[in-house]
Each structure stands twice: as structure tokens, then as C-alpha cells.
Amino acid sequence: MKTILTGIRPTGNLHLGHLFGAGQNWVKLQDDYDFYLEIADVQALTDNFNDPQKVRDNVDNIVKDLLSVGIDPKKVHIFIQSRIPEIAELTVFYSNLVTVARLQRNPTVKTEISQKKELFGNEGESITYGFLGYPVSQAADITCFNGELVPVGEDQEPLLEQCREIVRKFNNIYGDTLKEPEGMFTETKRVKGLDGNEKMGKSLGNAIFLVDNEETISKKIMNAVTDSNKIRKDDPADPDKCMVYYYHRLVNSDDNLKTICSECKKGARGCVQCKKELIAKMNEFLDPIREKRKYYDEHPDEVKKILDEGTEAAREVAKEQMKKIKKAMMIDY
Ligand code: ATP
Ligand code: MG
């Protein structure tokens, strides 16, 4: 049985980007693989080191969200990154196998630095050693569990490539020890944000969260970006330039989509009506998730137990893998 490793940063709640992007695979794949799902609190601290409370609170939040969308803890080992010290240890070992220039050229790192100007400066001049090195820590996450398949969003592909380079270098120097991981992507590789941004992200202020209540959903959808050429209600518009249609495609039926699309193109559909229909569909979609979420809110002990057991199972694997790695590196005293 192949091993899957993936992760999520406890920086906020689960959003539609997770659910229709990488997370769609998580729910689908849990039956057929040995599956490790990391709550990446150490990685979350790389750009939230000054807000530990946020990271701490979001560990529970994100786990409850994951459970409420159908991740089954009997099938998936959900674990906390900081409770696996082997990952931190491996990060130090791997830091010799990657150049600073290569990290600075990593497209994901570059994009994320530019999105965090307040923290890292306009030109990234205040970037920390820890943030620059987070692809190295991600390579440690994956290889610590011998992860072969990594279901992630498209934004993570350059990090996987960086991991494969580290693996190749490690195997060349220390002998064949680590596996090169492969990415797994869903049909919707990257779900767009309410503002039309190519990526919906927790930290980007453009996400629909699964815990959003009806009022918040309504406000967000009412403010979503539509085709800017449509001024009056009966102007024809291009659904492909409209975020409202984009989200209709996620939660509405094919028949309804055809009607929406043709009415929009003909100018027979106003944006307000279209947004109201989306709000209703979105709430219908979220209701069963909200119901399950409520259960876990009321049973925090169950959530703690799931995390303890998942972490314990993951730790056992990490310890074994670390023995192999230290032996290869001749530091197995
Ligand atoms: P942050 O803004 O804190 O980085 P995030 O929304 O990017 O949060 P992560 O925890 O970094 O979420 O990502 C977890 C996983 O979900 C990753 O595999 C990532 O690629 C995937 N993912 C996140 N946003 C999207 C999206 N909009 N579309 C597809 N996959 C996504
Ligand atoms: Mg991210």
C-alpha cells in the first residue's frame, strides 16, 4: 500500500479552495492508502511567529473542519507537526543539501514573500531564515514518512520539485535511502478567490470558509467580483469573467449551470438574482458540514483523542525512518 503525506497549516479555517482543490483528493483517497495528514504548526509559525495564539487556536479549528468534511480518523493519521521532533531534526540535516540561491528562486516562496510585505518588506529584505527555509522543512515532512504521493494544490508544485532535488542529492551522497515523492492534483488544481485572485487562500482575505455563517456567506457573495463590463441588469455578460458563476460551478447542478450561463450571456439575468441563488445553493451545500462541525465543537475530548492517536502512530513511523537516515549519514552513534 502506497504512503500518502500531505499537510495543512493551522493559520485559519478550511475554505472552499481546500475542499475543491487538494482536499477533494484527501477525502477520496483515504480508503486506499496509508495516509498521514499533518497539521503543520511549525510551518505556520514561520510567518506567524509573532502570533502563537492564532496558530494554537487554529490547530483545533482545522482538525474539526477536516473531520466535518468527512476525513475519517480511523483511516487517516492526523498528527501535529511539532510533536514529531524527527521532522525538525531532518530539516537541519537537509539544510546542507540546498543552496540559499535555490530557495530564493523557488516560485512559491517568491509569491508568498510578495504577499507578506508587512512581515518581510517590499522587496523581501526582512525575510527570515525560517521562512526562506520552509521548503526544506516540507521536504522533511514528506520524507520522514516516506511519502510517495503528495496530494496538494498546484501552488505547492515548486515545493515538491525542491523536495525531489533534496532526495536525489541525499541519495547520491549517502546512498539510496529516500523515495522521490510525486504530486497528485485534482481537476480543479487551484480554486480562485472571491476577488478573482488565482488562488483562494486563508491568509489572502478572499476565502469562503466552511464555518462561515449564513450572514457572512451572503456578504461575501454579494461583494464577489463579476464581469466589469456589465453595468445594467440587462447587459449581456461573460460568465467566465465572473466569480459568482465560478462558484455556481462548484455547488450547482449541470442543468442549472446551463440556464445561468445562457441567461447571463443574453443579458436575461441580473447579478443580484444570480448572487442570491448562489447564496442559497452555498448554504444548502454547507449545512451538513455545519451540522457535523457542531458535533465536534460539543465533543472536544474526542478531537483531542483523535490527534493524540494520530500523532502517536506517526511518531512510530518517523522514529524508524530516522534510524535509517542516521545510519546512512553515519551519525547513528
Ligand atoms: P495560507 O494562506 O496560510 O498559506 P492556504 O489557504 O494556502 O493558507 P495551506 O494550509 O497553505 O492553505 O494549504 C493546504 C493545502 O491546500 C495545500 O496543499 C494547498 O496547495 C491547498 N490549497 C490551498 N488553497 C488552495 C486553492 N485555492 N486551490 C487548491 N488547493 C489549495
Ligand atoms: Mg498556503
Side-chain angles (χ1 to χ4, degrees):
M1 195 186 257
K2 285 202 172 184
T3 303
I4 285 192
L5 180 289
T6 193
I8 185 151
R9 294 153 34 97
T11 50
N13 283 98
L14 218 61
H15 53 65
L16 288 189
H18 296 125
L19 200 56
F20 289 97
Q24 205 170 31
N25 259 341
W26 303 350
V27 178
K28 222 165 55 189
L29 301 172
Q30 55 184 340
D31 288 316
D32 306 320
Y33 295 88
D34 194 15
F35 198 141
Y36 296 85
L37 180 45
E38 173 181 284
I39 309 300
D41 58 344
V42 177
Q43 198 190 104
L45 283 167
T46 58
D47 54 341
N48 293 278
F49 52 85
N50 48 8
D51 198 354
Q53 192 68 53
K54 171 176 158 188
V55 176
R56 181 68 188 90
D57 291 344
N58 279 307
V59 169
D60 292 336
N61 272 336
I62 210 91
V63 174
K64 287 187 225 166
D65 284 352
L66 288 166
L67 296 169
S68 65
V69 298
I71 299 285
D72 181 349
K74 290 195 195 77
K75 297 174 184 161
V76 178
H77 307 293
I78 308 176
F79 70 95
I80 301 183
Q81 184 184 22
S82 63
R83 289 173 67 185
I84 312 287
E86 286 77 10
I87 296 175
E89 220 177 331
L90 259 190
T91 306
V92 175
F93 301 160
Y94 291 168
S95 63
N96 296 321
L97 306 180
V98 58
T99 64
V100 172
R102 174 67 179 87
L103 289 169
Q104 282 166 333
R105 276 200 315 271
N106 186 306
T108 308
V109 175
K110 271 166 98 174
T111 309
E112 294 191 347
I113 293 172
S114 71
Q115 284 163 355
K116 298 172 207 292
K117 290 192 165 51
E118 220 172 276
L119 200 59
F120 298 139
N122 278 335
E123 307 292 329
E125 64 278 8
S126 308
I127 178 96
T128 57
Y129 168 61
F131 191 82
L132 185 64
Y134 98 76
V136 183
S137 124
Q138 202 153 305
D141 296 336
I142 297 169
T143 54
C144 199
F145 300 93
N146 241 329
E148 295 164 272
L149 298 169
V150 188
V152 283
E154 201 184 29
D155 61 312
Q156 301 290 304
E157 175 52 29
L159 299 178
L160 275 172
E161 187 47 34
Q162 183 110 54
C163 175
R164 286 190 285 265
E165 282 175 31
I166 292 173
V167 167
R168 285 196 287 269
K169 199 151 184 197
F170 185 103
N171 288 344
N172 268 334
I173 301 171
Y174 306 115
D176 216 5
T177 315
L178 306 172
K179 285 182 184 160
E180 276 189 47
E182 233 178 88
M184 285 176 104
F185 303 96
T186 47
E187 206 180 312
T188 329
K189 288 184 171 176
R190 196 183 299 223
V191 179
K192 294 185 188 183
L194 282 159
D195 53 358
N197 186 314
E198 281 305 310
K199 180 179 177 265
M200 177 181 285
K202 287 188 228 99
S203 315
L204 299 174
N206 64 4
I208 295 180
F209 294 103
L210 305 180
V211 290
D212 283 344
N213 62 23
E214 292 191 0
E215 196 189 331
T216 310
I217 292 288
S218 177
K219 265 193 209 144
K220 285 185 177 174
I221 291 177
M222 280 300 178
N223 286 318
V225 168
T226 52
D227 182 355
S228 57
N229 289 325
K230 182 173 168 108
I231 317 267
R232 277 172 297 268
K233 194 175 149 203
D234 48 5
D235 284 343
D238 180 355
D240 291 332
K241 289 186 182 151
C242 174
M243 293 318 297
V244 177
Y245 181 64
Y246 184 86
Y247 296 124
H248 267 298
R249 281 173 38 211
L250 299 183
V251 293
N252 216 331
S253 66
D254 286 348
D255 281 351
N256 286 345
L257 289 180
K258 270 189 209 139
T259 313
I260 295 169
C261 196
S262 76
E263 287 180 357
C264 177
K265 284 181 178 162
K266 281 192 297 211
R269 156 174 287 261
C271 288
V272 173
Q273 175 204 344
C274 195
K275 285 174 173 174
K276 282 188 176 156
E277 284 175 21
L278 176 62
I279 293 165
K281 282 285 167 201
M282 192 63 76
N283 282 320
E284 222 174 87
F285 172 77
L286 291 175
D287 274 339
I289 298 174
R290 289 173 175 143
E291 199 55 41
K292 278 202 194 164
R293 183 65 161 73
K294 197 163 153 255
Y295 172 85
Y296 288 107
D297 273 334
E298 288 162 359
H299 296 82
D301 290 351
E302 222 170 288
V303 176
K304 185 175 179 321
K305 189 161 173 268
I306 287 167
L307 271 176
D308 285 346
E309 288 176 1
T311 303
E312 226 167 88
R315 182 82 204 277
E316 286 311 309
V317 178
K319 277 187 192 164
E320 283 309 305
Q321 177 75 337
M322 192 46 119
K323 273 190 208 153
K324 270 202 267 170
I325 289 172
K326 283 191 168 168
K327 187 157 187 272
M329 293 179 73
M330 300 186 186
I331 49 174
D332 56 332
Y333 303 104

